[in-house]
């Protein structure tokens, strides 16, 4: 069963504009959420995370928002840059699971000039 | 660099062959994870090691899959009698501890193609 879902397989955005990536989850036991970025032929690299006790975390151009009641999180990238073109994975883990991550299927972001 | 390395990067196997995939985690990292990523999907958890102890193997798809980390550093994922459905990218990740908020560092993966 897919407990982490990214329903948009792709997103195209103009350079300088905001990219908004969405993620939904079904397991209320998840207490930590992460976004990873992946370039072709490379492993995923950590981007930003948020604990379930928070509703927002910001790091430079990247902000993650968590809405626990809706079991929804989003990643905002402002402003979008060409180097942001990659696949973005939402992931979640729960306490006591050794940090085991459950991933969504990913969203391919293309930033156009 | 001192990142996670995996070898081989690409492996082509005939159906029924056995394969062994190697992961060198970041030195000193206690936790090591294996994930399987099918085409167009996100990585899926296979197994977890804390040092040399395999604490979770709930994601291994069948008894043809076996993983070990005998000295608590390098890990090997072995797949016996490979099948076409085993074709995927196999990712290894390591982290300092097995706590949910510790960042996992991923290797580049091994792309396995079973013909």
């Amino acid at each position: 069963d897919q407990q982490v879902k990214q329903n948009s397989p792709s997103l195209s955005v103009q350079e300088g504009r905001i990219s908004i990536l969405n993620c939904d989850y079904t397991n209320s036991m998840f207490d930590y959420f992460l976004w990873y970025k992946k370039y072709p032929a490379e492993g995923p690299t950590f981007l930003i995370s948020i604990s379930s006790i928070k509703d927002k975390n910001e790091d430079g151009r990247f902000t993650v928002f968590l809405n626990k009641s809706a079991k929804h999180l989003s990643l905002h990238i402002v402003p979008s840059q060409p180097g942001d073109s990659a696949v973005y994975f939402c992931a979640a883990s729960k306490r006591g699971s050794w940090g085991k991550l459950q991933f969504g299927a990913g969203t391919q972001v293309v930033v156009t000039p | 660099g001192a990142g996670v390395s995996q070898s081989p990067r690409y492996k082509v196997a005939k159906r029924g062959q056995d394969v062994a995939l190697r992961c060198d985690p970041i030195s000193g990292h206690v936790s090591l994870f294996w994930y399987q990523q099918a085409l167009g999907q996100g990585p899926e958890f296979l197994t977890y090691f804390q040092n040399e102890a395999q604490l979770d193997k709930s994601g291994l798809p069948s008894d043809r899959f076996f993983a070990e980390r005998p000295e608590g550093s390098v890990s090997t994922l072995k797949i016996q009698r490979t099948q076409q459905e085993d074709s995927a990218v196999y990712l290894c990740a390591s982290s300092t501890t097995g706590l949910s908020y510790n960042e996992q560092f991923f290797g580049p993966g091994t792309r396995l193609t079973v013909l």
Side-chain angles (χ1 to χ4, degrees):
Chain A
D1 61 333
Q2 193 73 4
Q3 297 185 32
V4 179
K5 299 178 184 178
Q6 293 176 258
N7 293 319
S8 298
S10 64
L11 172 70
S12 182
V13 63
Q14 270 191 317
E15 182 178 359
R17 306 295 288 266
I18 184 171
S19 294
I20 299 176
L21 290 79
N22 294 302
C23 178
D24 297 292
Y25 62 96
T26 57
N27 192 334
S28 57
M29 298 298 291
F30 288 141
D31 66 344
Y32 201 68
F33 304 88
L34 309 89
W35 286 93
Y36 278 80
K37 176 179 177 179
K38 186 181 183 304
Y39 293 118
E42 295 183 11
T45 55
F46 171 77
L47 196 56
I48 192 169
S49 62
I50 188 167
S51 163
S52 59
I53 62 173
K54 296 186 175 181
D55 55 20
K56 177 182 174 181
N57 188 28
E58 197 170 347
D59 183 1
R61 296 186 298 115
F62 303 93
T63 303
V64 56
F65 296 92
L66 175 63
N67 182 335
K68 282 203 308 182
S69 60
K71 294 192 177 68
H72 177 85
L73 63 155
S74 61
L75 174 68
H76 292 207
I77 308 173
V78 182
S80 300
Q81 299 175 352
D84 296 332
S85 295
V87 177
Y88 290 78
F89 291 101
C90 171
S93 69
K94 51 189 177 183
R95 190 178 296 113
S97 68
W98 315 111
K100 171 171 74 177
L101 296 175
Q102 296 197 44
F103 285 86
T107 297
Q108 172 78 60
V109 172
V110 176
V111 180
T112 58
Chain B
V4 178
S5 60
Q6 293 186 244
S7 61
R9 291 294 312 276
Y10 303 91
K11 176 69 179 177
V12 179
K14 291 183 180 177
R15 194 173 59 162
Q17 251 185 319
D18 296 350
V19 298
L21 313 180
R22 178 187 168 106
C23 172
D24 284 82
I26 293 172
S27 177
H29 276 194
V30 167
S31 294
L32 186 145
F33 302 82
W34 283 98
Y35 293 87
Q36 178 191 59
Q37 185 178 12
L39 191 64
Q41 300 298 316
E44 289 197 10
F45 170 80
L46 292 176
T47 188
Y48 166 70
F49 288 87
Q50 187 174 89
N51 295 307
E52 69 278 3
Q54 189 176 20
L55 299 185
D56 187 343
K57 52 182 181 179
S58 61
L60 296 177
S62 75
D63 58 8
R64 296 186 296 103
F65 286 71
F66 172 77
E68 60 183 5
R69 192 186 185 198
E71 296 178 359
S73 55
V74 171
S75 177
T76 304
L77 176 67
K78 298 179 179 177
I79 309 173
Q80 297 177 324
R81 304 181 303 282
T82 53
Q83 303 294 314
Q84 284 189 322
E85 62 263 29
D86 300 336
S87 296
V89 175
Y90 290 86
L91 294 163
C92 174
S94 70
S95 68
T96 52
T97 68
L99 297 173
S100 61
Y101 50 83
N102 281 131
E103 177 186 346
Q104 291 183 27
F105 295 84
F106 282 81
T110 294
R111 179 176 295 279
L112 172 65
T113 303
V114 181
L115 302 177

